Amino acid sequence: MKDDSDVICPRCDAVLTTPDDRFSTWCAACDWNVDPIGPVGIPKDRARELARHERAFRRMAAHGPDASPSGAAVYGALVLATAVNLATAALVATGVWLLITGTLPQRILGAVELLATVMLFPRPARLPKHTVDRATAPALHAIVERISGELGTRPPDLIAFDARYGARWAAVGMRRHRVLVLGLPLWETLAPDQRIALLVRELAHAAAEAGPRSRWIRSALDSLAGWESLLRPDPARSDLVPDAHHAVTGGRQASNIAHVGEMLARPLLGLLAQGAQLLHALLRRLDGRCVGHAYRADRTAARIATAGSAESLLRALLLEEPALLALERLSRGGDDLWEMLRGYLASVPDTERARRLRLSELRGDTSGSGQPPTCLRIRFVQALPRTEPVLTMTGTEARTVDLELAPVRSSIGRECRQRP
């Protein structure tokens, strides 16, 4: 029975839950307004990607995350990666040979080839601003080392924090030191068992990426991404025309010739960049490492920190958008920023959490990264057995870690408040 205070779905006439003014009202029965600002329908490329992830999930559910990809896919990925890496090596070799033995024009060509190969690979990242070493945060590093010992992997050289909502790895400096970068907005809103699950997942994922096959394919992916970036025409220059009023006659002619040459070269460069992009997508699809690594990392997190902790971590990741929007709004206040953020996320209603999960099912949330959507990872963790945790963070350890991170917490909070 309906009364005057009920909210009715305009599409299917279902009675909706009393709305929360902070979030969108939507209908779980027909998905009305589930994505109020998104495009109508799902783009074809996103739909195909989601379908591939669904097929991969069914295979993984049937055979387990340790099952190897098909032989054709494995050999195809290795052959393609080898071809790309050999082409890059050949470019380096011919560049060096032309520099040593060539004429002046050939030496210039060799220098251009070497410069191109240098630009192909990502530059080593700078040391993050908010780092904590073993002397600064011994309790946090001790927990990470315990997890690394359980996994049989090397702990990170440094741990850093930033204002993002998530976690990532960075290779810092010429020696490429491994830095685990944790997003403070996520870390501050997690319970101790969820923090353990986060650390386990990131360390397990990094360990899976450290094998020689993974490094070989990663090198090829980096090369292809570099070629695409190098060859992609600059849209800012697409509308440039020679200045006829302020150029002398000779300069005008040279400018016209350069402009014509650019117009002729732009389609070819765009075609080559598109080819590099397609090869990058093909290699990632053939390899399929990211999918298996993600599920295995989630399984490891469930084993060490319990499946419930792993699942609640994944559900927390679905709240990235509202968390960052709330952080921006709350940073204008004068109270404890992180305490306010924790209170805000704790107050998010179940209807909004369900809407975020439904959005992950409809559109995915990691398009282009190779990672499976969070909704599928939640389904995977839900099917795992419930066991006792292998490692825990005691209350004393949690308080000690919070004290160690107090300067980082104050510094990042101050930066958030100073943003325009």
Side-chain angles (χ1 to χ4, degrees):
M1 179 177 178
K2 304 175 185 177
D3 58 44
D4 293 338
S5 64
D6 287 336
V7 179
I8 308 301
C9 173
R11 181 184 294 172
C12 69
D13 292 332
V15 179
L16 306 181
T17 304
T18 303
D20 187 322
D21 293 339
R22 301 173 301 170
F23 304 103
S24 300
T25 301
W26 70 292
C27 179
C30 67
D31 287 336
W32 170 77
N33 207 40
V34 67
D35 190 3
I37 62 174
V40 178
I42 303 175
K44 290 184 178 180
D45 57 342
R46 181 69 61 84
R48 287 194 294 266
E49 183 178 357
L50 289 174
R52 286 196 297 270
H53 279 301
E54 283 284 356
R55 291 193 295 269
F57 177 79
R58 289 194 292 269
R59 289 196 302 270
M60 183 277 308
H63 305 292
D66 294 320
S68 300
S70 66
V74 170
Y75 290 123
L78 287 175
V79 168
L80 181 55
T82 301
V84 172
N85 289 330
L86 288 179
T88 305
L91 193 64
V92 174
T94 56
V96 172
W97 182 73
L98 289 174
L99 273 178
I100 295 175
T101 65
T103 61
L104 180 59
Q106 291 174 333
R107 290 178 179 177
I108 294 176
L109 178 60
V112 171
E113 289 183 0
L114 291 178
L115 179 61
T117 56
V118 169
M119 296 175 65
L120 290 182
F121 295 98
R123 306 281 78 77
R126 293 183 179 181
L127 185 67
K129 181 178 179 180
H130 305 286
T131 59
V132 289
D133 56 19
R134 287 172 178 80
T136 306
L140 176 60
H141 277 272
I143 294 171
V144 172
E145 288 170 1
R146 281 163 51 198
I147 296 172
S148 299
E150 181 68 27
L151 298 177
T153 187
R154 183 167 65 90
D157 299 304
L158 282 174
I159 301 174
F161 290 85
D162 61 17
R164 304 183 189 185
Y165 191 88
R168 60 189 177 90
W169 286 87
V172 174
M174 297 305 297
R175 299 181 65 180
R176 303 189 71 81
H177 292 295
R178 298 164 65 250
V179 181
L180 173 60
V181 186
L182 302 171
L184 191 63
L186 174 63
W187 179 266
E188 282 294 308
T189 54
L190 295 179
D193 61 315
Q194 296 170 322
R195 293 178 177 181
I196 292 290
L198 175 65
L199 294 173
V200 172
R201 194 195 69 172
E202 292 303 318
L203 290 168
H205 201 83
E209 292 281 351
R213 177 178 177 272
S214 295
R215 289 196 299 268
W216 183 249
I217 293 179
R218 170 55 55 190
S219 176
L221 288 170
D222 288 341
S223 294
L224 290 171
W227 277 119
E228 182 189 356
S229 176
L230 192 63
L231 295 171
R232 181 72 63 187
D234 185 1
R237 293 180 53 85
S238 60
D239 297 327
L240 293 180
V241 295
D243 187 348
H245 297 288
H246 299 90
V248 296
T249 303
R252 186 189 307 121
Q253 292 176 350
S255 179
N256 287 334
I257 293 173
H259 183 61
V260 171
E262 185 178 355
M263 290 180 62
L264 293 175
R266 191 180 297 119
L268 177 60
L269 293 177
L271 184 62
L272 293 174
Q274 185 67 23
Q277 182 183 26
L278 292 175
L279 287 176
H280 188 281
L282 176 61
L283 179 55
R284 183 178 287 280
R285 182 176 178 182
L286 287 173
D287 181 30
R289 294 172 304 119
C290 290
V291 175
H293 291 347
Y295 286 124
R296 285 192 289 274
D298 290 333
R299 183 184 60 184
T300 303
R303 177 179 65 84
I304 294 179
T306 75
S309 300
E311 180 183 347
S312 60
L313 168 64
L314 292 171
R315 291 186 180 275
L317 294 176
L318 291 173
L319 299 179
E320 177 179 4
E321 182 181 357
L324 293 180
L325 290 174
L327 182 65
E328 181 180 356
R329 177 175 54 83
L330 294 172
S331 63
R332 303 188 186 104
D335 297 328
D336 186 336
L337 176 60
W338 308 112
E339 184 63 34
M340 290 191 297
L341 182 61
R342 283 191 290 270
Y344 175 84
L345 291 183
S347 71
V348 174
D350 291 340
T351 53
E352 176 63 12
R353 296 176 186 272
R355 187 177 76 88
R356 293 287 168 180
L357 180 60
R358 183 60 179 150
L359 277 176
S360 179
E361 294 170 351
L362 289 175
R363 306 194 184 281
D365 44 20
T366 53
S367 178
S369 69
Q371 296 279 344
T374 304
C375 59
L376 295 179
R377 298 171 65 184
I378 290 175
R379 284 166 55 187
F380 169 71
V381 171
Q382 285 175 335
L384 296 176
R386 264 44 183 173
T387 57
E388 292 297 318
V390 176
L391 294 175
T392 59
M393 184 186 301
T394 65
T396 301
E397 288 177 321
R399 288 189 292 272
T400 302
V401 170
D402 287 341
L403 289 174
E404 293 173 347
L405 298 182
V408 171
R409 191 160 44 247
S410 298
S411 181
I412 295 180
R414 187 164 52 251
E415 291 175 1
C416 291
R417 296 184 189 279
Q418 292 172 353
R419 289 176 181 172

